[in-house]
């Protein structure tokens, strides 16, 4: 079929066709079309849900957050009792999620870096051990590992009447780790002030030492001086203020310790499983990051007289970080979301408390799940924003 | 190059949008209208029944995947009433927290999953309960070695249970009312509770007493476990259906009543054929030889005959799955007929 080429048709359909062939106009057209479809879909879904909820006579709205929860939670960072509201239960679940994710991220990062560097070790045994660790841990489903640590830890621990006492007044049994509860008295403010002062002092010491090294080439043991300052200064103030902390010792009464603070075994098992699992992925990321740095950099560092530790710390790692950070962010996000598996071992985090107990008691699935989705989304976005900022800081500055 | 990348993104967007449209279209008509459930059930040829993920005696699948239990018998009886075939049932195992959503969304036709009838569930979830097939109450199980004989001695104990039930509210009320401390450890599934309790995480396992008897069988040493005598709550367990379809609600309601009436009339799966030729008008109405009681519900007139012939009366179902001669060994107690001193009472078929 011949295409219309005569000049008369160019003015009508032909002009339309030529617009169509303009990639920019076409792009705008498709963007508007997509936007309209997305808005229509969103509106349809929302409208449909509201209509169906009304027809089914299902209560809706977020008023239930103020109702009394009536159930108990065994591990909470803030005050919570049966008289608290569902909103308070949400806060407890949220903080517990943040706690286990935060602890997991720190431990997974430390362990992951150690194993990742160990995989590149010249020592045959260390490198093979690290490989075995990575290959076993990352190939076993996380839920199984959580059960393994939970049941494994529980079976090994005695019942409260036969508690282990590894340190005086610290007890370990199948109800958890029970430690004395510190009660802060007047004067503790000075100790905290001393701690903050030591931290600020260390920062200025570090800046001064760096400046001096740049000008004179002389080095100063910043790390050890700072550590000494941060530990010794608050300690000195603590004793000068007359030890202003009293301890409530754990006391066995009936079934369990009635006083003292308890770290539940669920949290321990969850953090162990999450960090050990995620560390195996981080180890691979670290290894790939280090291997991405050209061998010439190591040779150049050696020729400047840096020893192996310095080469790693000052030359290799800063350059490897550019490769490491983006996939590392993914692992942090994964770890946070994986913490929702805790429902299986009764750790009262967001999904277990709010999308589990509260959802079932109120029956308001749409509202409860919308809140849970919003919280996970915000947590993930905050993590991403922070990691992107950190990444930008490490990015290669091109001159 | 840039335009090409843009177009690729656009294509992805359009694909995702289309997928969403499909979802939205598919999810339009899930609410129930009078008569719609029976029509839908008849056209697909089976009853979709929501059951538990495995509670011996109530709803439990064997190695071959066959479901048995008194909750399963309710589903089978509904299928017998509708199709004259008790096997025309498909089962959906549901966790405690999935169960209401599954019923609301139309994924299942009947929820028969040891579910407690409460005011909040009856009025706020878009579902209605159609009767009580087991009168239960929440109890406590402890190890014999603890030397506890009374629930009031449980101050300070760690209590294991599973989430998404009335259980954690009852236990909170009980301990608060008696000014006792406790630690609640709430798992998602009953199996996880059993493992953790068995591993020594808790002193006490609390759930409905029937559940305690059932889960005790899964412990390493069932004889070491003792169920305390206290019952701390009313737990009437029964089937539920979606709100808005009175016909279907009636079918499920009267299916259970038929099983109870059969026991009261002394009709069993073995003697129903002989009894059908008796002259007792109550029996003749029951088997559909007099009146047109089935038709009013949109069922054949011999609906109750098929229920008893294929599933049995309430007593047969109870004795087969949870009674004294089963591993659960539960006596009739509250679940005896009203004339034997229990609570089970069905309105008459007339």
């Amino acid at each position: 079929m011949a295409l219309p080429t005569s000049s008369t048709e160019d003015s009508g359909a032909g002009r339309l066709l030529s617009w169509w062939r303009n990639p920019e106009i076409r792009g705008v057209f498709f963007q508007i079309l997509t936007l309209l479809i997305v808005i229509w879909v969103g509106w349809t879904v929302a409208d449909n849900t509201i209509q169906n909820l009304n027809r089914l006579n299902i209560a809706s709205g977020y008023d239930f957050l103020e109702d009394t929860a009536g159930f108990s939670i065994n591990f909470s960072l803030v005050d919570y009792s049966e008289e608290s509201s569902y909103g308070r239960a949400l806060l407890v679940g949220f903080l517990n999620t943040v706690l286990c994710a935060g602890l997991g991220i720190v431990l997974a990062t430390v362990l992951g870096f150690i194993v990742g560097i160990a995989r590149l070790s010249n020592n045959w045994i260390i490198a093979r051990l690290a490989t075995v660790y990575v290959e076993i841990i990352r190939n076993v489903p996380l839920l199984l590992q959580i059960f393994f640590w939970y049941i494994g830890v529980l079976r090994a621990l005695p019942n409260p009447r036969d508690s282990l006492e590894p340190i005086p007044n610290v007890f370990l049994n199948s109800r958890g780790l029970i430690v004395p509860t510190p009660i802060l008295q007047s004067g503790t403010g000075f100790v905290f002030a001393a701690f903050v002062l030591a931290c600020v002092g260390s920062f200025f010491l570090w800046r001064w030492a760096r400046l001096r090294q740049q000008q004179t080439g002389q080095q100063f043991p910043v790390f050890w001086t700072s550590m000494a300052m941060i530990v010794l200064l608050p300690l000195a103030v603590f004793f000068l203020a007359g030890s202003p902390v009293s301890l409530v010792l754990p006391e066995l009464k009936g079934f369990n310790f009635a006083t003292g603070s308890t770290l539940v075994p669920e949290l321990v098992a969850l953090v162990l499983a999450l960090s050990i699992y995620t560390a195996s992925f981080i180890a691979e990321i670290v290894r790939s990051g280090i291997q991405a740095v050209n061998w010439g950099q190591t040779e150049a560092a050696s020729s400047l007289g840096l020893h192996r530790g310095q080469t790693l710390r000052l030359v290799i790692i800063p350059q490897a970080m550019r490769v490491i950070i983006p996939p590392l962010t993914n692992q942090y996000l994964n770890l946070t979301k994986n913490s929702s598996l805790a429902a299986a071992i009764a750790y009262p985090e967001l999904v277990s408390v709010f999308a589990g107990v509260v959802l079932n008691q109120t029956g308001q699935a749409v509202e409860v799940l919308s809140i849970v989705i919003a919280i996970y989304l915000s947590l993930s976005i905050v993590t991403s924003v922070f990691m992107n900022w950190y990444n930008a800081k490490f990015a290669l500055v091109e001159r | 190059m840039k335009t090409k990348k843009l177009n690729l993104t656009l294509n992805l967007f359009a694909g995702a949008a289309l997928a969403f449209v499909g979802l939205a279209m598919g999810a339009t008509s899930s609410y129930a209208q009078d008569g719609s459930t029976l029509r839908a059930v008849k056209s697909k040829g089976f009853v979709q029944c929501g059951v538990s993920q495995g509670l011996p005696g109530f709803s439990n699948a064997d190695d071959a995947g066959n479901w048995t239990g008194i909750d399963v018998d309710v589903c089978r009886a509904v299928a017998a009433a509708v199709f004259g075939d008790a096997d025309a049932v498909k089962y959906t195992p549901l966790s405690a927290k999935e169960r209401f959503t599954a019923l609301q969304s139309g994924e299942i036709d009947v929820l028969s999953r040891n579910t407690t009838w409460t005011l909040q569930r009856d009025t706020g979830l878009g579902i209605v309960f159609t009767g009580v097939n087991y009168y239960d109450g929440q109890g406590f199980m402890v190890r014999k070695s603890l030397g506890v004989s009374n629930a009031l001695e449980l101050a300070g104990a760690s209590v294991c249970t599973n989430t998404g039930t009335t259980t954690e509210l009852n236990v909170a009320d009980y301990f608060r009312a008696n000014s006792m401390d406790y630690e609640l450890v709430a798992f998602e599934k009953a199996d996880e509770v059993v493992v953790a309790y068995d591993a020594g995480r808790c002193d006490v396992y609390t759930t409905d007493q029937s559940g305690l008897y059932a889960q005790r069988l899964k412990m390493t040493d069932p004889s070491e476990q003792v169920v305390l005598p206290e019952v701390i709550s009313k737990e009437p367990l029964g089937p539920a259906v979606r709100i808005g379809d009175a016909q279907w609600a009636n079918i499920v309601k009267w299916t259970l009543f038929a099983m109870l009436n059969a026991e009261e009339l002394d009709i069993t799966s073995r003697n129903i054929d002989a009894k059908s030729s008796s002259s007792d008008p109550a029996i003749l109405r029951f088997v559909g030889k007099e009146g047109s009681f089935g038709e009013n519900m949109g069922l054949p007139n011999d609906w109750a005959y098929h229920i008893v012939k294929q599933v049995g009366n309430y007593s047969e179902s109870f004795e087969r799955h949870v009674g004294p001669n089963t591993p659960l060994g539960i006596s009739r107690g509250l679940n005896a007929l009203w004339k034997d001193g229990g609570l089970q009472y069905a309105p008459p078929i007339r």
Side-chain angles (χ1 to χ4, degrees):
Chain A
M1 212 168 83
L3 287 167
T5 47
S6 66
S7 57
T8 46
E9 274 163 323
D10 261 8
S11 54
R15 191 174 294 164
L16 214 68
L17 208 66
S18 70
W19 274 8
W20 183 248
R21 284 181 179 151
N22 182 336
E24 262 176 44
I25 294 177
R26 209 169 50 198
V28 170
F29 171 76
F30 272 117
Q31 290 196 45
I32 293 173
L33 188 72
T34 311
L35 189 69
L36 286 178
I37 291 177
V38 168
I39 290 173
W40 178 74
V41 167
W43 182 81
T44 313
V45 168
D47 183 61
N48 223 325
T49 311
I50 292 167
Q51 272 189 24
N52 279 331
L53 286 178
N54 286 341
R55 281 229 183 79
L56 287 165
N57 200 15
I58 299 175
S60 55
Y62 291 88
D63 295 341
F64 70 96
L65 285 175
E66 285 159 25
D67 294 347
T68 306
F71 61 90
S72 125
I73 299 176
N74 68 334
F75 183 77
S76 165
L77 296 175
V78 289
D79 280 337
Y80 174 87
S81 74
E82 288 92 342
E83 289 100 11
S84 306
S85 65
Y86 285 131
R88 192 78 178 169
L90 171 64
L91 178 68
V92 171
F94 168 72
L95 289 177
N96 284 346
T97 292
V98 171
L99 176 72
C100 72
L103 287 175
I105 284 175
V106 172
L107 285 177
T109 309
V110 172
L111 189 61
F113 268 77
I114 293 172
V115 175
I117 292 170
R119 275 204 80 175
L120 296 170
S121 168
N122 290 332
N123 183 317
W124 191 85
I125 291 180
I126 290 179
R128 286 301 165 282
L129 274 180
T131 309
V132 167
Y133 169 90
V134 168
E135 292 304 339
I136 288 180
I137 298 295
R138 73 172 178 181
N139 290 319
V140 175
L142 177 58
L143 188 60
L144 283 183
Q145 296 193 31
I146 291 177
F147 277 127
F148 173 81
W149 289 111
Y150 185 53
I151 302 301
V153 166
L154 273 189
R155 292 251 182 225
L157 292 172
N159 71 49
R161 288 173 195 181
D162 313 317
S163 295
L164 304 171
E165 195 175 352
I167 311 168
N169 290 318
V170 172
F171 297 91
L172 191 62
N173 62 38
S174 56
R175 304 290 178 272
L177 181 73
I178 298 105
V179 295
T181 312
I183 305 279
L184 304 181
Q185 287 158 351
S186 62
T188 40
F190 294 115
V191 181
F192 283 113
F195 176 73
V196 172
L197 200 71
C199 288
V200 173
S202 310
F203 177 71
F204 282 108
L205 182 74
W206 170 73
R207 280 187 53 171
W208 168 80
R210 202 178 56 166
L211 206 68
R212 193 179 73 145
Q213 192 185 353
Q214 278 170 5
Q215 284 169 355
T216 65
Q218 283 178 297
Q219 287 187 343
F220 186 82
V222 180
F223 180 76
W224 295 112
T225 336
S226 307
M227 276 294 125
M229 239 161 71
I230 290 170
V231 172
L232 292 180
L233 196 64
L235 214 62
V237 175
F238 177 78
F239 285 114
L240 280 176
S243 312
V245 174
S246 64
L247 294 176
V248 177
L249 299 180
E251 194 186 330
L252 190 64
K253 199 177 133 196
F255 287 96
N256 201 356
F257 289 87
T259 51
S261 305
T262 306
L263 183 65
V264 290
E266 288 80 24
L267 176 64
V268 178
L270 184 67
V271 169
L272 267 180
L274 283 177
S275 47
I276 288 175
Y277 179 74
T278 312
S280 67
F281 292 91
I282 293 180
E284 285 297 273
I285 292 169
V286 169
R287 182 175 68 100
S288 69
I290 291 175
Q291 284 182 333
V293 178
N294 197 316
W295 179 244
Q297 299 279 336
T298 313
E299 287 176 342
S302 305
S303 68
L304 284 174
L306 299 182
H307 59 70
R308 269 193 67 84
Q310 282 175 325
T311 309
L312 203 61
R313 192 159 50 85
L314 299 171
V315 178
I316 312 284
I317 298 275
Q319 295 186 76
M321 281 314 249
R322 291 183 288 123
V323 182
I324 291 174
I325 288 174
L328 192 63
T329 312
N330 287 343
Q331 291 307 322
Y332 288 174
L333 298 178
N334 279 347
L335 189 145
T336 308
K337 289 176 284 181
N338 283 342
S339 72
S340 62
L341 289 171
I345 59 160
Y347 176 68
E349 47 70 71
L350 188 60
V351 169
S352 166
V353 168
F354 200 65
V357 182
V358 175
L359 168 66
N360 200 66
Q361 282 183 12
T362 61
Q364 296 188 288
V366 176
E367 292 84 354
V368 167
L369 289 179
S370 66
I371 292 175
V372 172
I373 289 170
I375 288 178
Y376 274 107
L377 193 62
S378 333
L379 272 181
S380 297
I381 287 177
V382 166
T383 314
S384 306
V385 166
F386 173 76
M387 292 303 282
N388 286 343
W389 166 81
Y390 194 65
N391 193 30
K393 232 180 79 120
F394 262 107
L396 196 63
V397 184
E398 291 179 8
R399 290 177 224 265
Chain B
M1 278 312 281
K2 197 172 177 190
T3 340
K4 198 172 176 186
K5 199 173 170 187
L6 189 77
N7 277 340
L8 190 72
T9 324
L10 280 174
N11 284 338
L12 284 175
F13 254 113
L18 282 174
F20 264 109
V21 174
L23 277 176
M25 296 297 192
T28 37
S29 58
S30 60
Y31 58 92
Q33 276 176 330
D34 204 10
S36 64
T37 313
L38 182 62
R39 271 200 305 279
V41 165
K42 276 183 173 166
S43 74
K44 67 185 170 185
F46 58 87
V47 177
Q48 190 75 44
C49 181
V51 292
S52 77
Q53 289 162 319
L55 181 65
F58 287 79
S59 44
N60 200 22
D62 63 15
D63 297 341
N66 300 314
W67 287 86
T68 54
I70 62 169
D71 285 344
V72 168
D73 275 356
V74 171
C75 302
R76 288 172 51 78
V78 171
V82 174
F83 298 109
D85 175 10
D87 292 327
V89 187
K90 288 193 178 173
Y91 299 96
T92 307
L94 297 167
S95 76
K97 71 178 183 191
E98 293 161 351
R99 55 186 161 179
F100 300 120
T101 314
L103 184 59
Q104 289 162 352
S105 64
E107 195 185 319
I108 55 174
D109 302 312
V110 186
L111 176 70
S112 184
R113 188 207 171 279
N114 51 296
T115 301
T116 305
W117 184 354
T118 65
L119 186 145
Q120 194 264 345
R121 288 173 177 177
D122 216 16
T123 55
L125 298 182
I127 64 172
V128 277
F129 284 84
T130 58
V132 177
N133 71 333
Y134 189 92
Y135 287 97
D136 209 341
Q138 188 176 338
F140 299 109
M141 181 162 73
V142 296
R143 289 177 198 83
K144 277 182 182 160
S145 59
L146 276 182
V148 171
S149 60
N150 181 325
L152 290 171
E153 298 168 28
L154 293 177
S158 289
V159 181
C160 276
T161 188
N162 49 324
T163 58
T165 58
T166 44
T167 328
E168 60 235 89
L169 296 179
N170 293 330
V171 75
D173 287 355
Y174 182 78
F175 277 82
R176 266 167 76 198
N178 292 296
S179 316
M180 299 192 293
D181 282 335
Y182 69 107
E183 180 200 14
L184 185 77
V185 189
F187 294 83
E188 194 177 18
K189 291 186 189 141
D191 283 343
E192 291 153 3
V193 189
V194 172
V195 173
Y197 174 81
D198 223 17
R201 175 67 181 91
C202 294
D203 307 299
V204 185
Y205 180 4
T206 183
T207 188
D208 296 346
Q209 275 201 337
S210 61
L212 291 179
Y213 283 107
Q215 304 296 6
R216 182 166 72 165
L217 305 174
K218 296 182 187 166
M219 306 276 174
T220 22
D221 185 7
S223 63
E224 166 62 17
Q225 314 298 333
V226 52
V227 177
L228 297 179
E230 281 86 356
V231 174
I232 64 165
S233 69
K234 293 192 287 187
E235 307 284 346
L237 310 181
V241 296
R242 269 186 302 287
I243 207 165
D245 188 348
Q247 184 197 42
W248 184 249
N250 275 333
I251 292 172
V252 177
K253 185 194 297 172
W254 282 93
T255 297
L256 182 57
F257 286 160
M259 293 173 77
L260 288 166
N261 275 319
E263 185 186 355
E264 198 172 332
L265 295 168
D266 204 22
I267 305 173
T268 67
S269 55
R270 279 180 297 281
N271 70 14
I272 188 163
D273 288 321
K275 287 247 180 179
S276 298
S277 52
S278 82
S279 57
D280 185 342
I283 292 174
L284 293 177
R285 281 196 298 274
F286 187 90
V287 298
K289 290 193 172 170
E290 269 183 27
S292 55
F293 300 102
E295 279 171 23
N296 296 341
M297 294 188 284
L299 297 179
N301 265 334
D302 59 352
W303 61 285
Y305 169 84
H306 288 297
I307 292 175
V308 176
K309 181 70 188 168
Q310 298 183 29
V311 184
N313 66 26
Y314 183 79
S315 167
E316 288 178 282
S317 174
F318 193 97
E319 300 299 330
R320 190 162 58 225
H321 302 299
V322 296
N325 296 325
T326 64
L328 271 78
I330 303 174
S331 60
R332 282 293 287 271
L334 288 177
N335 292 293
L337 286 183
W338 58 283
K339 58 178 186 176
D340 303 327
L343 293 176
Q344 290 291 4
Y345 182 103
I349 294 179
R350 65 179 310 140

